[in-house]
C-alpha cells in the first residue's frame, strides 16, 4: 500500500515591505508606555536643555515629566479652567501657558505660583510662545487677535486684530527676534513683525489652520489644516512649494526631528506620518489607538510623545545601542567539522543504510487519510485557519473536489455551520487565487441548500452577501474589459501613426535620392 501524501497547499508570493534606513531608524523604539491624564492632551513641549523634561498640558493642569518617569515630577495647577499650550523658553527656565479665562501665565520651573500674569482679554487664549530674544511673549486666542507682551514690565507692547476667526496656533522665528507667525480658523497664516503695525505677509491655506511650524533656517513655513500639510517659501513671498495629502482626517500637529531632515505630522486618523524634507515623501508611519491631538520629539530623537483625545499619553523611548564587546567564548569546532563527509559519494561495494523519516501530519491530513471528508472540512473551517491561512481551507476543498467527495462533505450541515461556510466563501471568492475553487463550492452549496432558503434569516443574509459580492466583481470585470478595449484602440492608433510616419520618411528619402541622381 502506497504511503499517504499530504495535501499540497499552494503558496502565493507575498509583497514584502521595503526595508529602508528610515524604517530601521524609526522602528528602534521600545514598547510604548501609556500614561493617563485628566483630559485631552492639547500640547506637549520638551525642554531644550538637559535633562530634557517635557511639559504636558491637559485639562486644568500642566504636568512636568522626567525623561523616563511615569509620574509627574512637578505640577502647575493654578488655573481656574482649561489650560492651553504650555511652552518652554529657550533656556528651559520659564514656562508660559494660556487659559480658558483669557489670562496668560508665566511660571518659573523652580516655583509653583505664576511669576507674571498678562491680563486684559476675556476670551480663551490657545496660543502662547516666546520670541527668540527671551524677553517677549506672543499670544493668540478666540478674540481673533494676536498680542505681544513684555515680560519684565508685564505690559502689552502691541496688538494685531487681522484674523477673522479663532487663532489656534503659532510659532516664533529663531533667526529674527521680532518675527512670529499665527494660524487661524479663517484659513489664513499671518506673519507679523513686532516693528510693524500690521502683518507683513498673509498666506491662504484653504482650510482651518490647526498647526504651523517654521524651519530653523526661517526660510520655510509648514502649515497644517484639514487633510493637508503645505510647505511655503517665506523668502519668495509665501510661494507654495508642496501640498501633502497623506492623512484621511484633520491634521492637528506638526513636529521636526532634531536634524531638521524629517517632518512629523499627527492626525485625527490615528496616524503619525514621517516625511523626508528633501523629497516630501512618506518614509515611515506610526499607528495609534485613538485620534491624535499633540506630538513632540525630544532632542536627538530619543523620545517620541503623543497626546490623544482620550487623555492617554503615549511615550516611546529609543532602544539602547548594542555594544559590540568581544566576549571570551569557548572556541567552537570549525565549520569543516560539521560538513565532513556530506559530499561523500557511496561506492559500488558500499552498503547504504537509510534512516526512516517520521512525517508529522496535520489534523486535516489525518482525517483525509481516514476518508473522513466532512470532519476534514470542519477542521479547516476553524476561525484561526480561515482568517490567517485561507489557502489551507481552499486546498482541502480542492482535494475533496478531486476525490469527488466535496458535495457529501458540504451536505448535512446545521444553520451555524452553513453560515460559517457562506461567510468564508463570500469573503474570499473575489480573490483571484481562490476564485476557481470557491466558485465551484458556491455552486454546490446553492444546489444543496436551495430547498431550505427562506427558513433561516441568518443563512438568507449570507446568500444575499454572496450574491452582492459576485455581482460587484462582475461589474468590476466589465469595467476593466471596457478600459482594456479603450487601451487596445489607443495602442492600435499609435502603431498606425508610427507606421505611416516611417513610410513617409522612406518615400521622402527615396524621392531625395532620385533627385540627387538626376542632378548628377
Amino acid at each position: 500500500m502506497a504511503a499517504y501524501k499530504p495535501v499540497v497547499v499552494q503558496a502565493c508570493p507575498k509583497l514584502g515591505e521595503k526595508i529602508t534606513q528610515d524604517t530601521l531608524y524609526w522602528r528602534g523604539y521600545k514598547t510604548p508606555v501609556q500614561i493617563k491624564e485628566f483630559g485631552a492632551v492639547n500640547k506637549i513641549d520638551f525642554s531644550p536643555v538637559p535633562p530634557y523634561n517635557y511639559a504636558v498640558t491637559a485639562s486644568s493642569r500642566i504636568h512636568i515629566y522626567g525623561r523616563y518617569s511615569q509620574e509627574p515630577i512637578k505640577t502647575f495647577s493654578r488655573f481656574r479652567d482649561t489650560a492651553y499650550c504650555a511652552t518652554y523658553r529657550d533656556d528651559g527656565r520659564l514656562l508660559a501657558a494660556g487659559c480658558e479665562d483669557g489670562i496668560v501665565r508665566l511660571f518659573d520651573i523652580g516655583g509653583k505660583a505664576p511669576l507674571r500674569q498678562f491680563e486684559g482679554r476675556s476670551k480663551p487664549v490657545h496660543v502662547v510662545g516666546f520670541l527668540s530674544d527671551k524677553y517677549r511673549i506672543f499670544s493668540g486666542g478666540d478674540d481673533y487677535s494676536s498680542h505681544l507682551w513684555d515680560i519684565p514690565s508685564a505690559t502689552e507692547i502691541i496688538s494685531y486684530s487681522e484674523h477673522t476667526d479663532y487663532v489656534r496656533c503659532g510659532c516664533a522665528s529663531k533667526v529674527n527676534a521680532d518675527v512670529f507667525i499665527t494660524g487661524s480658523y479663517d484659513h489664513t497664516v499671518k506673519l507679523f513683525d513686532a516693528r510693524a503695525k500690521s502683518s507683513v505677509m498673509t498666506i491662504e491655506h484653504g482650510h482651518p489652520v490647526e498647526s504651523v511650524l517654521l524651519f530653523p533656517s526661517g526660510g520655510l513655513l509648514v502649515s497644517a489644516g484639514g487633510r493637508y500639510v503645505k510647505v511655503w517659501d517665506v523668502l519668495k513671498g509665501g510661494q507654495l512649494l508642496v501640498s501633502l495629502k497623506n492623512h484621511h482626517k484633520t491634521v492637528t500637529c506638526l513636529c521636526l526631528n532634531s536634524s531638521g531632515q524629517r517632518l512629523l505630522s499627527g492626525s485625527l486618523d490615528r496616524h503619525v506620518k514621517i516625511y523626508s524634507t528633501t523629497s516630501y515623501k512618506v518614509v515611515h508611519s506610526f499607528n495609534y489607538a485613538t485620534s491624535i491631538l499633540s506630538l513632540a520629539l525630544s532632542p536627538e530623537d530619543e523620545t517620541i510623545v503623543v497626546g490623544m483625545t482620550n487623555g492617554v499619553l503615549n511615550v516611546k523611548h529609543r532602544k539602547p545601542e548594542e555594544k559590540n564587546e568581544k566576549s571570551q567564548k569557548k572556541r567552537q569546532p570549525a565549520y569543516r567539522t560539521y560538513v565532513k563527509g556530506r559530499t561523500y559519494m557511496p561506492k559500488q561495494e558500499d552498503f547504504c543504510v537509510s534512516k526512516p523519516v517520521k512525517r508529522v501530519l496535520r489534523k486535516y491530513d489525518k482525517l483525509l487519510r481516514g476518508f473522513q471528508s466532512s470532519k476534514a472540512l470542519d477542521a479547516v473551517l476553524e476561525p484561526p485557519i480561515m482568517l490567517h491561512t485561507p489557502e489551507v481551507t481552499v486546498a482541502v476543498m480542492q482535494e475533496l473536489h478531486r476525490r469527488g467527495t466535496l458535495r457529501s462533505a458540504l451536505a448535512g450541515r446545521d444553520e451555524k455551520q452553513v453560515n460559517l461556510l457562506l461567510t468564508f466563501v463570500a469573503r474570499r471568492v473575489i480573490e483571484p487565487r481562490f476564485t476557481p475553487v470557491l466558485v465551484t463550492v458556491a455552486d454546490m452549496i446553492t444546489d444543496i441548500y436551495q430547498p431550505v432558503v427562506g427558513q433561516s434569516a441568518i443563512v438568507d443574509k449570507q446568500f444575499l452577501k454572496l450574491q452582492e459580492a459576485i455581482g460587484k466583481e462582475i461589474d468590476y470585470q466589465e469595467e476593466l474589459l471596457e478600459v482594456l478595449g479603450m487601451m487596445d484602440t489607443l495602442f492600435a492608433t499609435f502603431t498606425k501613426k508610427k507606421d505611416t510616419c516611417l513610410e513617409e520618411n522612406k518615400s521622402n528619402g527615396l524621392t531625395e535620392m532620385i533627385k540627387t541622381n538626376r542632378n548628377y
Side-chain angles (χ1 to χ4, degrees):
M1 180 176 169
Y4 171 79
K5 293 183 179 179
V7 175
V8 178
V9 179
Q10 186 179 2
C12 298
K14 295 182 180 180
L15 295 176
E17 182 184 357
K18 187 177 180 181
I19 303 298
T20 62
Q21 290 297 324
D22 280 287
T23 306
L24 298 174
Y25 182 80
W26 295 105
R27 278 183 179 177
Y29 286 94
K30 299 179 184 178
T31 305
V33 176
Q34 306 279 351
I35 302 173
K36 180 63 178 175
E37 285 290 338
F38 291 95
V41 181
N42 61 73
K43 177 70 175 180
I44 304 167
D45 192 47
F46 272 92
S47 172
V49 296
Y52 304 122
N53 297 333
Y54 56 94
V56 177
T57 311
S59 186
S60 60
R61 303 179 183 184
I62 301 172
H63 286 155
I64 308 296
Y65 288 91
R67 198 165 175 179
Y68 298 102
S69 65
Q70 297 184 24
E71 296 292 335
I73 58 176
K74 193 174 186 62
T75 300
F76 297 102
S77 57
R78 301 297 180 93
F79 297 95
R80 299 174 185 174
D81 211 328
T82 306
Y84 298 109
C85 197
T87 308
Y88 277 101
R89 196 168 72 171
D90 287 345
D91 58 5
R93 295 182 178 181
L94 298 180
L95 191 73
C99 185
E100 191 76 19
D101 58 11
I103 300 174
V104 178
R105 292 174 173 81
L106 184 68
F107 296 93
D108 184 357
I109 294 300
K112 287 188 176 181
L115 288 179
R116 295 281 189 275
Q117 291 195 163
F118 306 95
E119 303 179 5
R121 301 294 167 213
S122 58
K123 296 292 183 70
V125 177
H126 284 264
V127 185
V128 178
F130 291 90
L131 296 187
S132 57
D133 62 2
K134 302 179 184 179
Y135 299 109
R136 288 177 291 177
I137 293 176
F138 72 90
S139 65
D142 290 356
D143 58 356
Y144 308 167
S145 61
S146 306
H147 309 277
L148 196 63
W149 309 88
D150 181 63
I151 293 177
S153 61
T155 57
E156 183 182 285
I157 300 173
I158 192 171
S159 176
Y160 302 96
S161 300
E162 298 189 21
H163 286 292
T164 58
D165 208 333
Y166 299 153
V167 180
R168 287 299 170 92
C169 55
C171 63
S173 171
K174 294 184 179 180
V175 179
N176 192 324
D178 295 307
V179 174
F180 67 96
I181 296 167
T182 58
S184 169
Y185 279 3
D186 62 4
H187 300 191
T188 63
V189 177
K190 292 186 180 290
L191 188 146
F192 296 98
D193 191 322
R195 297 163 293 188
K197 295 183 178 180
S198 61
S199 63
V200 295
M201 186 183 297
T202 300
I203 295 172
E204 184 68 32
H205 179 81
H207 296 83
V209 183
E210 298 284 352
S211 182
V212 291
L213 178 68
L214 200 60
F215 274 63
S217 62
L220 295 179
L221 170 68
V222 186
S223 61
R227 295 169 56 192
Y228 294 88
V229 176
K230 297 185 179 182
V231 184
W232 312 85
D233 191 335
V234 178
L235 302 180
K236 290 186 178 180
Q239 178 183 343
L240 178 63
L241 295 180
V242 64
S243 178
L244 307 171
K245 189 181 177 182
N246 297 97
H247 287 282
H248 303 297
K249 292 184 180 180
T250 301
V251 183
T252 55
C253 48
L254 296 170
C255 176
L256 275 175
N257 75 331
S258 55
S259 64
Q261 296 179 355
R262 295 293 180 265
L263 172 67
L264 287 77
S265 64
S267 168
L268 296 179
D269 63 4
R270 305 183 294 109
H271 286 85
V272 171
K273 303 285 185 182
I274 303 172
Y275 308 89
S276 166
T277 53
T278 53
S279 63
Y280 292 104
K281 293 183 179 179
V282 177
V283 296
H284 194 70
S285 64
F286 293 109
N287 188 19
Y288 290 88
T290 55
S291 300
I292 297 168
L293 282 183
S294 51
L295 166 70
L297 198 61
S298 69
E300 300 179 1
D301 306 338
E302 288 294 327
T303 308
I304 180 170
V305 186
V306 171
M308 290 173 273
T309 53
N310 60 354
V312 172
L313 202 64
N314 186 291
V315 185
K316 292 182 181 180
H317 299 289
R318 183 165 291 282
K319 297 175 183 177
E321 295 183 1
E322 296 180 358
K323 297 180 180 180
N324 295 326
E325 296 181 356
K326 293 183 179 179
S327 57
Q328 297 292 331
K329 292 184 178 180
K330 187 178 179 180
R331 186 178 176 182
Q332 299 293 332
Y335 176 71
R336 62 177 179 272
T337 306
Y338 296 104
V339 299
K340 187 176 181 181
R342 183 169 295 181
T343 58
Y344 177 78
M345 296 298 294
K347 298 177 182 178
Q348 189 174 2
E349 61 271 12
D350 289 341
F351 179 76
C352 298
V353 179
S354 60
K355 185 178 180 181
V357 179
K358 186 178 180 181
R359 181 175 293 176
V360 179
L361 297 178
R362 297 187 178 275
K363 183 179 179 180
Y364 56 85
D365 276 320
K366 292 178 181 178
L367 294 169
L368 285 173
R369 187 176 61 179
F371 302 100
Q372 301 180 36
S373 304
S374 183
K375 290 185 179 180
L377 186 58
D378 290 339
V380 294
L381 285 176
E382 294 178 358
I385 297 178
M386 283 200 308
L387 294 174
H388 303 296
T389 55
E391 59 274 8
V392 174
T393 306
V394 176
V396 171
M397 289 179 176
Q398 188 174 11
E399 175 65 18
L400 291 173
H401 182 57
R402 187 187 67 82
R403 295 184 177 192
T405 57
L406 180 59
R407 179 177 288 273
S408 61
L410 293 172
R413 296 181 174 270
D414 58 15
E415 182 186 47
K416 185 177 179 182
Q417 291 174 332
V418 174
N419 178 37
L420 192 65
L421 196 58
L422 285 172
T423 302
F424 175 77
V425 174
R427 182 182 297 175
R428 300 292 182 178
V429 72
I430 59 174
E431 295 188 26
R433 54 178 178 162
F434 301 145
T435 301
V437 178
L438 293 184
V439 165
T440 304
V441 174
D443 191 20
M444 288 186 181
I445 293 174
T446 307
D447 288 341
I448 295 169
Y449 296 99
Q450 186 177 4
V452 298
V453 171
Q455 298 180 12
S456 171
I458 298 174
V459 174
D460 292 347
K461 185 179 179 181
Q462 293 300 330
F463 271 117
L464 290 174
K465 284 185 178 180
L466 177 61
Q467 182 184 8
E468 184 182 358
I470 294 176
K472 284 184 179 180
E473 184 64 22
I474 292 172
D475 293 339
Y476 291 150
Q477 294 293 337
E478 289 177 353
E479 290 178 7
L480 288 173
L481 286 173
E482 291 177 3
V483 174
L484 187 61
M486 295 176 190
M487 293 175 67
D488 287 341
T489 306
L490 290 173
F491 291 147
T493 306
F494 292 150
T495 306
K496 287 180 181 178
K497 286 184 178 180
K498 188 175 180 181
D499 293 341
T500 306
C501 293
L502 289 173
E503 289 177 1
E504 289 179 357
N505 291 334
K506 287 180 181 179
S507 60
N508 291 337
L510 183 61
T511 306
E512 290 177 0
M513 287 176 64
I514 293 170
K515 287 181 179 179
T516 306
N517 292 333
R518 285 180 179 176
N519 292 334
Y520 280 111

